[in-house]
């Protein structure tokens, strides 16, 4: 749904023109999974799929929310009644942003919001972050809050962590708020320093495919939280602030110190080696060499997520195994895991063959048909009109 359609939908709902229309994208993470809440490195880029919001201010302490994508009416909330983990519906994401802004001292007095999104929900492509960031950007503009992209990302993360109750890291919101077209974002999640890394795979005859397994996941589920708690336990046992502080060269010694804490050992090994993989990919792309060399690093990342972090699932493994067996240069799950999407780096000439092979493998296994599309680095959050 485009800006004009969302604007027209707003007029039908609320009987007046919105003050503006904004967009924020979903993201795919090239490399760096489950490192963001360990103060580590990530490398996402924005997708063309976006959440769009038409918004106007209110002065009466009322927040009205509507989604064109759901068969439900307008939700009306009182700002003074907003409280963490009080809302189990989709409205928790935009309402959480308003709550976080007000908690931070920003004078937001209400809003009418109409939303629509083309970011697949539950696919590991940050549909919730896109929803949060588009609302945050709109309110930032309308209320002249003067917040920068990384600051909006922080507030959106707080909304998701505290208000929604999902223990996510900072990557998704920062990617949605700060990515640039034609680039991947090398982000240090400890200090939020950023570097835009040019990424033009098409110029090299390559494509990056996203394969949405159609297996939905939820970050607020217990397994994600268990992994995060395990990482925090590992950091505490090793006497560091976060696993980011364990150098790759010191990994074996660190694992020895963990003794018989086998589950923690696996989590630590993944995070430390994944940070190293991010740095490898950044070095390759910055050197301007052949991006085909990124492929094996992606595949190694999947093995680590599957075997050490244990957040893959049969459908994700089937995508990776099938793609590699049919000529892919590399493949891995992307996102939090337990479903969602995988990415496949391939020669452009092999895309049709790979796509068919994956679709046939899913059919043979009795799985729901996957959704396959090309991922091209797109622009981050912005005002449309």
């Amino acid at each position: 749904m485009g800006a004009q359609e969302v604007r027209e939908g707003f007029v039908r709902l609320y009987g007046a023109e919105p003050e503006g229309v904004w967009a924020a994208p979903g993201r795919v993470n090239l490399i760096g999974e489950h490192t963001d809440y360990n103060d580590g490195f990530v490398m996402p880029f924005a997708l063309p799929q976006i959440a769009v919001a038409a918004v106007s201010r209110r002065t009466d302490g009322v927040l009205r929310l509507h989604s064109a994508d759901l068969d439900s009416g307008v939700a009306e909330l009182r700002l003074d009644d907003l409280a963490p983990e009080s809302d189990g519906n989709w409205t928790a994401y935009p309402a959480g942003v308003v709550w976080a802004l007000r908690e931070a001292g920003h004078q937001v007095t209400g809003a009418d919001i109409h939303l629509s999104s083309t970011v697949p929900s539950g696919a590991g492509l940050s549909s919730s972050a896109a929803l949060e960031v588009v609302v945050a950007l709109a309110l930032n503009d309308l209320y002249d809050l003067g917040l920068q992209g990384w600051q909006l990302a922080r507030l959106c993360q707080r909304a998701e962590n505290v208000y929604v109750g999902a223990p996510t890291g900072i990557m998704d919101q920062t990617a949605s708020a700060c990515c640039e077209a034609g680039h991947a974002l090398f982000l240090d999640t400890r200090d939020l320093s950023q570097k835009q890394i040019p990424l033009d795979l098409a110029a090299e005859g390559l494509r990056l495919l996203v394969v949405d397994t159609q297996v939905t996941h939820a970050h607020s589920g217990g397994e994600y939280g268990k992994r995060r708690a395990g990482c925090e336990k590992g950091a505490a046992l090793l006497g560091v602030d976060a696993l980011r502080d364990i150098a790759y060269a010191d990994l074996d010694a660190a694992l020895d110190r963990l003794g018989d804490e086998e589950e923690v050992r696996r989590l630590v090994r993944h995070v430390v080696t994944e940070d190293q993989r991010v740095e490898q990919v950044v070095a390759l792309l910055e050197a301007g060499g052949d991006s085909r060399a990124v492929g094996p690093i992606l595949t190694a990342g999947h093995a680590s997520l599957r075997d050490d972090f244990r957040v893959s699932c049969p459908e994700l493994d089937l995508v990776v195994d099938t793609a590699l067996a049919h000529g892919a240069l590399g493949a891995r799950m992307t996102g939090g895991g337990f479903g969602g999407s995988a990415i496949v780096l391939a020669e452009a000439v092999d895309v049709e063959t790979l796509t068919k092979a994956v679709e046939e493998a899913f059919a043979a296994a009795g799985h729901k048909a996957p959704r396959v599309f090309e991922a091209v680095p797109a622009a981050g959050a912005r005002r449309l009109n």
Side-chain angles (χ1 to χ4, degrees):
M1 182 173 283
Q4 186 58 32
E5 291 171 283
V6 175
R7 176 180 287 277
E8 291 170 356
F10 183 99
V11 173
R12 287 194 298 272
L13 282 168
Y14 301 122
E17 288 282 339
E19 292 183 81
V21 181
W22 291 261
R27 66 96 188 98
V28 67
N29 193 24
L30 185 63
I31 193 72
E33 220 65 77
H34 289 277
T35 51
D36 60 343
Y37 53 81
N38 288 291
D39 282 2
F41 305 124
V42 294
M43 199 175 184
F45 62 84
L47 291 169
Q49 287 81 359
I50 54 175
V52 179
V55 185
S56 286
R57 289 167 291 182
R58 296 179 66 96
T59 59
D60 58 358
V62 170
L63 175 65
R64 293 197 292 182
L65 300 166
H66 184 265
S67 170
D69 308 320
L70 299 173
D71 186 18
S72 59
V74 175
E76 184 168 313
L77 307 170
R78 296 285 312 175
L79 299 191
D80 290 342
D81 295 337
L82 300 181
E85 299 192 53
S86 61
D87 185 350
N89 299 311
W90 73 271
T91 50
Y93 295 98
V97 170
V98 175
W99 171 85
L101 285 167
R102 285 165 55 86
E103 283 284 300
H106 300 293
Q107 299 303 308
V108 176
T109 56
D112 286 339
I113 302 176
H114 176 55
L115 293 145
S116 183
S117 178
T118 57
V119 185
S121 178
L125 303 175
S126 298
S127 58
S128 59
L131 195 60
E132 293 157 359
V133 170
V134 74
V135 170
L137 180 62
L139 296 176
N140 183 54
D141 287 354
L142 290 175
Y143 283 96
D144 295 320
L145 303 181
L147 299 171
Q148 298 180 44
W150 66 270
Q151 293 172 305
L152 294 176
R154 276 286 196 212
L155 286 163
C156 290
Q157 182 199 17
R158 177 166 168 75
E160 189 149 350
N161 289 173
V162 180
Y163 195 91
V164 178
T168 56
I170 191 65
M171 173 182 66
D172 296 350
Q173 293 85 358
T174 306
S176 186
C178 301
C179 279
E180 295 180 4
H183 294 76
L185 179 68
F186 177 37
L187 173 67
D188 182 334
T189 65
R190 169 163 282 170
D191 62 12
L192 294 190
S193 59
Q194 304 175 18
K195 190 170 187 180
Q196 302 287 345
I197 308 295
L199 184 64
D200 186 0
L201 298 175
E204 299 182 60
L206 301 175
R207 298 290 186 273
L208 188 73
L209 302 178
V210 174
V211 182
D212 177 3
T213 65
Q214 306 275 9
V215 178
T216 59
H217 71 165
H219 272 165
S220 53
E223 290 301 316
Y224 184 96
K226 287 179 185 177
R227 302 306 190 280
R228 182 164 185 165
C231 290
E232 291 168 352
K233 179 180 179 181
L237 289 171
L238 293 168
V240 294
D241 291 336
L243 294 183
R244 142 72 172 280
D245 296 311
I246 304 299
Y248 180 72
D250 298 332
L251 176 58
D252 288 343
L255 295 177
D256 287 343
R257 288 167 56 198
L258 291 171
D260 60 359
E261 292 277 357
E262 183 54 36
E263 182 177 355
V264 175
R265 282 166 56 90
R266 287 190 287 98
L267 299 178
V268 169
R269 183 166 53 227
H270 167 72
V271 172
V272 176
T273 58
E274 187 78 348
D275 273 335
Q276 171 76 358
R277 283 185 283 272
V278 177
E279 293 186 291
Q280 286 180 298
V281 171
V282 170
L284 281 169
L285 294 178
E286 285 196 309
D290 191 341
S291 296
R292 290 164 178 81
V294 170
I297 302 173
L298 302 183
T299 304
H302 183 77
S304 182
L305 288 160
R306 181 192 64 210
D307 301 335
D308 277 344
F309 226 72
R310 300 188 181 180
V311 291
S312 189
C313 67
E315 293 85 352
L316 288 167
D317 293 341
L318 184 59
V319 174
V320 172
D321 294 343
T322 303
L324 293 173
H326 288 81
L329 299 166
R332 75 170 189 92
M333 58 155 282
T334 188
F338 313 109
S341 298
I343 56 174
V344 178
L345 181 65
E347 302 284 354
V349 295
D350 293 334
V351 165
E352 186 175 343
T353 300
L354 284 168
T355 301
K356 183 179 179 182
V358 169
E359 291 172 344
E360 290 178 346
F362 267 56
H367 299 320
K368 186 176 180 180
R371 178 172 178 247
V372 184
F373 60 92
E374 182 182 350
V376 178
R382 67 268 188 200
R383 185 167 186 160
L384 297 179
N385 59 43

